[in-house]
Amino acid sequence: MDLRQINKIYSEKSTEERLLMAWEEYGGDICMTSSFQTQSVPLLYLVAKTIPELPVIFLDTGFHFAETLAFRDQLINDYNLNVINVKTGMGHDNFKMQYGNLYEMDPDLCCHVNKTLPLQEELDKYKAWIAGVRGDQTDNRAAMDVVNVLEDGKVKICPIIDWTKKDLWTFHTRNELPSHPLFVKGFMSVGCAPCTRASNDDTDERAGRWSGNCKTECGIHTHIGKKKDQ
Ligand code: SF4
């Protein structure tokens, strides 16, 4: 079966069915990544209901808000998630000693050292990767399908790629899901503390990320997660 046919089958299934199909196909060779912010909760909730054994990678850059770490721990506890905390190989203290506030001078390099490299190393242990991206978030994400083959041959499954922002919040409200503690303070999207601010821009939920910089992605879904045909 070619990728187009596989995507046709996946696209006709519910999100829970997509997760189960991916688990059946790849079993112990599949993981998920999550940034544990409010928008991550619907997919984490569905994973907990359908495939709680799934390894969920959290990139612990050392720059997170304390609220993010607390929210991660709350969700691990409430949903009994199988979370793997991944850090940069050199350790955060060494990174700070060697690079200082690199996020001010070269955020791309900072993301590369703290996110892309450690994630690539972790993902190399698996054949497939589940990501909670939506097509309406960025142009890059709009080009993704439910099932994607990446440049390195890994399969990236995006079970909510066709959810809209409205779908996500409707699901969140209907299921009375918890929110990141900073959400009520205007943080629609939460990344590392030095690179995230509150934003009132309802039209762009990622407006508070790398604000004032043309950067819109950390590299996880562009460099590592690049589709073979992109
Ligand atoms: S989001 Fe900011 S602090 Fe975090 S790794 Fe990227 S540049 Fe560094």
Side-chain angles (χ1 to χ4, degrees), residues 63 103 107 110-111 114-115 192 195 210:
F63 288 110
Y103 51 80
C110 187
C111 280
N114 289 291
K115 292 186 168 186
C192 294
C195 303
W210 300 287

Side-chain angles (χ1 to χ4, degrees), residues 180-230:
H180 189 291
L182 292 176
F183 184 70
V184 290
K185 295 181 180 171
F187 289 76
M188 293 286 288
S189 175
V190 185
C192 294
C195 303
T196 308
R197 64 165 178 79
S199 166
N200 297 322
D201 186 348
D202 283 342
T203 61
D204 180 4
E205 66 196 43
R206 291 174 63 83
R209 305 287 295 277
W210 300 287
S211 171
N213 188 304
C214 58
K215 185 173 169 66
T216 57
E217 294 265 11
C218 61
I220 290 173
H221 298 294
T222 45
H223 299 309
I224 299 182
K226 201 167 178 198
K227 279 169 67 176
K228 210 172 175 180
D229 54 358
Q230 264 184 308

